[in-house]
Amino acid sequence: MGKKTTHKFKAEVSQLLDILVHSLYTNKEIFLRELISNASDALEKARFKGQAEGAEDTVAPEIRIACDADAGTLTITDTGVGMTRDELMRNIGTIAHSGTAELTRLAGEGKESLDALIGRFGVGFYSVYMVADEVEVTTRSIEPDAKPVVWTSDGRTDYKLQELDEDLPRGTKIVVRLKEDLASQFTNAAHLKHIVNKHSNFINFPIYVGDERVNTIQALWREPKFQITSEQYAEFYKFLTFDPDDPFDTLHTSVDAPVQFNALMFIPKHGDDPFGMGRENRGLDLYVRRVLIEKQNKDLLPEYLGFVKGVVDTEDLPLNISRETLQDNILMRKISSTLVKQVLDHLAKMAKDDADRYADFWRAHGELFKAGYMDFLNKDKFAGLVRFHSSGLEDEKGLTSFADYITRAKEDQKEIYYAYGPSREALNLSPHLEVFRRKGVEVLYLFEPIDEFVMDALSEFDGWSLVSAEHADPAKLDKFESLEAEDKPEPLSDTEKPVLDKLLARMKDALGDAVTEVKASARLSRSPVCLANPDGNVTSSMDKIMRVMSKDSSIPKKILEVNPDHPLVRNMLTILERDENDPFIEQAANQLYESALLLEGYLTDPHALVGRVQDLLTKSSGWYVASEK
């Protein structure tokens, strides 16, 4: 047995160990992930060496974890390449590419998480001192005639080295003498299995806790697609998400440039929840060489693709990269942009090949997907994938794209019209859409507030303007023929037109500041009046959304548009000619205005309206009875 020698740690290692020992970092279980990752690397090197030399390796590759509660120790053993005495000193005695000054700065700040230190300097082994009073590493190199070496340290200022004469098998055994307050936690076999499953479940070599193999699930994303069955995909999806149903769709991809990674992504059959309470339950699991770096990473896919579940595994990121560094890592941004492109292209192919299947996807995830209106880099792809209900579809559940709308549009039409409402029934009765129904011009129906933001952000599609029906140019609609003969009265004569002007002025006086203007309408045919925004830019629905956001409950001042051809308005003209001061004019003006408010969803107090209706019904029923005699 060789002589035991003592060696001082390099200054920067001593500093780091001091930071680790006194760290308040709570996720101490990370040390086991690091030791397992090191063991996996050693096994990979042994396999590579055997393949390069063409020699058959008779040693079974494995990682074993054993615990002794009485002794308060945890032991991790691998059958990898092992280390020589020089390699041991080089690998554990110093920190490669680190700077003492930088470590001193970090230690002085005291706020940088331990994970960031590990990620920055590649010092995963030292994380064991978060839980250890002493560590003993016994290793024998795969190199011929190499002697076993024992490395021992309490993680303070120095370490001891000793060569052994024993004929030990190749590989490395690490005995961790646990801190007293942590011994019960890390000598609990069930807890150790949980840690392995959480962080190292897809390591490519068997990991045993005691005699039980823990990592039994295959890293399916690493396997060739043509070898994987749909049943295997479904099994992995259920393991990953705990969803009892099979996935709706699967996207398995391998990318070599601009950055190398494998991804296995799934689209569930159902959305997470209808109330947005699961917004944090999103993100892809990020692995580096099969080792979990972050569960549900939020940066790989934008929130509007948050319905996608799955894993991403890359060779190019440093194994211990921290969350802080992840957010600024250029490789992460490249992976993210590639993933977004792949998901959108996959959805576009689904929409093209099977419209009904895509419609099923949209019903499950469309509400979340519509938040992609803010992804300006993928604006065109997003615009091709959004779907809407429409006046042009008889099926109430039917959905249309912008492209499909264009195929049904009128000749010379270059606008895609849309309208927002609480339901299909409400929109079918909307005064703003009367001219569209009369001309047979299709209108997209928007039922969700976010739809307004989608239209506003996109503004056009393939050279066609997206125009609110409320702001449609009457001249552009007039050129289209009506589908049926309009049952309109004789146009107002030259002598009657001044009476209309008087009526509009009288109605404005009756309504006062409640409206900005009362004017004749060119858009109405069946309704007597409608309300329009005075600025002509913001739609009524968008104005309502903005008022809710600013907690403004006041009734907005709008333009009251009056239909000169409606029988009620013609009767009001007759009454006005007979008596300019007839109280019915004021009563009718207020009734029409409040009815329009009711349709727009602004009327908060209906008492005056109801009272007026009852009064008018009483009078009209008397006239009706008298006329029937």
Side-chain angles (χ1 to χ4, degrees), residues 330-568:
I330 190 168
L331 292 176
M332 283 289 292
R333 292 197 291 274
K334 288 180 178 178
I335 293 174
S336 175
S337 62
T338 304
L339 286 173
V340 171
K341 180 181 184 300
Q342 289 187 333
V343 172
L344 294 179
D345 287 348
H346 184 78
L347 292 174
K349 186 176 187 304
M350 184 197 304
K352 180 181 178 183
D353 295 345
D354 192 338
D356 290 340
R357 179 170 167 76
Y358 185 77
D360 290 338
F361 156 78
W362 186 261
R363 292 184 189 101
H365 304 293
E367 188 173 346
L368 177 59
F369 184 85
K370 282 185 283 194
Y373 73 86
M374 293 182 288
D375 185 358
F376 298 108
L377 289 176
N378 294 289
K379 180 179 177 181
D380 292 341
K381 289 183 179 181
F382 171 82
L385 290 169
V386 287
R387 296 292 183 268
F388 300 95
H389 294 273
S390 171
S391 66
L393 302 177
E394 294 182 5
D395 182 4
E396 289 189 7
K397 295 182 178 180
L399 295 167
T400 185
S401 65
F402 289 134
D404 289 339
Y405 176 104
I406 290 172
T407 64
R408 298 187 293 268
K410 298 279 188 181
E411 188 176 352
D412 295 332
Q413 181 181 342
K414 290 299 289 183
E415 293 80 26
I416 297 175
Y417 295 104
Y418 64 88
Y420 175 86
S423 66
R424 191 178 188 88
E425 292 74 17
L427 285 169
N428 284 340
L429 295 172
S430 171
H432 294 290
L433 301 189
E434 288 182 0
V435 64
F436 294 90
R437 289 191 285 270
R438 192 167 71 245
K439 301 287 186 176
V441 176
E442 185 174 353
V443 178
L444 298 179
Y445 283 175
L446 317 184
F447 299 139
E448 302 293 337
I450 193 173
D451 294 339
E452 284 268 14
F453 293 96
V454 171
M455 295 301 191
D456 196 45
L458 293 179
S459 72
E460 63 92 29
F461 176 81
D462 199 22
W464 288 55
S465 300
L466 302 181
V467 179
S468 166
E470 190 177 333
H471 296 153
D473 182 353
K476 291 184 177 180
L477 295 172
D478 283 345
K479 64 185 178 183
F480 303 128
E481 288 188 19
S482 296
L483 296 183
E484 54 189 39
E486 296 181 51
D487 185 18
K488 294 177 68 173
E490 287 292 322
L492 292 173
S493 65
D494 291 340
T495 56
E496 290 174 318
K497 287 178 182 178
V499 180
L500 175 63
D501 293 336
K502 281 186 180 181
L503 175 63
L504 298 178
R506 181 82 169 80
M507 292 177 72
K508 177 66 174 75
D509 288 341
L511 297 174
D513 292 336
V515 295
T516 61
E517 184 184 356
V518 179
K519 68 177 186 179
S521 175
R523 78 176 88 201
L524 298 173
S525 55
R526 296 185 179 180
S527 299
V529 297
C530 74
L531 291 170
N533 274 357
D535 61 8
N537 295 318
V538 179
T539 63
S540 299
S541 48
M542 180 62 83
D543 176 67
K544 201 176 301 178
I545 293 168
M546 301 308 291
R547 285 173 176 273
V548 169
M549 292 173 66
S550 62
K551 298 181 180 179
D552 182 358
S553 58
S554 63
I555 298 175
K557 295 180 180 180
K558 297 194 174 192
I559 297 172
L560 183 69
E561 293 190 7
V562 177
N563 178 7
D565 296 328
H566 194 276
L568 173 56

Side-chain angles (χ1 to χ4, degrees), residues 25 115 293-295 299 321-328:
Y25 188 69
D115 208 7
I293 296 300
E294 186 178 4
K295 191 79 175 170
D299 301 316
I321 190 166
S322 70
R323 284 184 178 86
E324 291 87 348
T325 314
L326 269 178
Q327 294 169 358
D328 300 321

Side-chain angles (χ1 to χ4, degrees), residues 265 283-286 294 296-297 300-301 308-312 339:
M265 297 177 286
L284 303 177
D285 294 347
L286 176 63
E294 186 178 4
Q296 292 187 317
N297 177 280
L300 287 166
L301 286 177
V308 179
K309 312 294 183 184
V311 300
V312 174
L339 286 173

Side-chain angles (χ1 to χ4, degrees), residues 25 27 30 33-34 37 115 118-119 198-202 221 284-297 300 311-327 332:
Y25 188 69
N27 190 20
I30 196 175
R33 182 193 78 177
E34 298 303 318
S37 297
D115 208 7
I118 292 172
K198 179 179 177 182
H199 294 287
S200 309
N201 201 51
F202 299 106
W221 63 84
L284 303 177
D285 294 347
L286 176 63
Y287 286 78
V288 173
R289 298 187 291 282
R290 302 173 191 265
V291 177
L292 180 66
I293 296 300
E294 186 178 4
K295 191 79 175 170
Q296 292 187 317
N297 177 280
L300 287 166
V311 300
V312 174
D313 189 3
T314 177
E315 303 285 333
D316 294 337
L317 288 171
L319 179 61
N320 296 304
I321 190 166
S322 70
R323 284 184 178 86
E324 291 87 348
T325 314
L326 269 178
Q327 294 169 358
M332 283 289 292

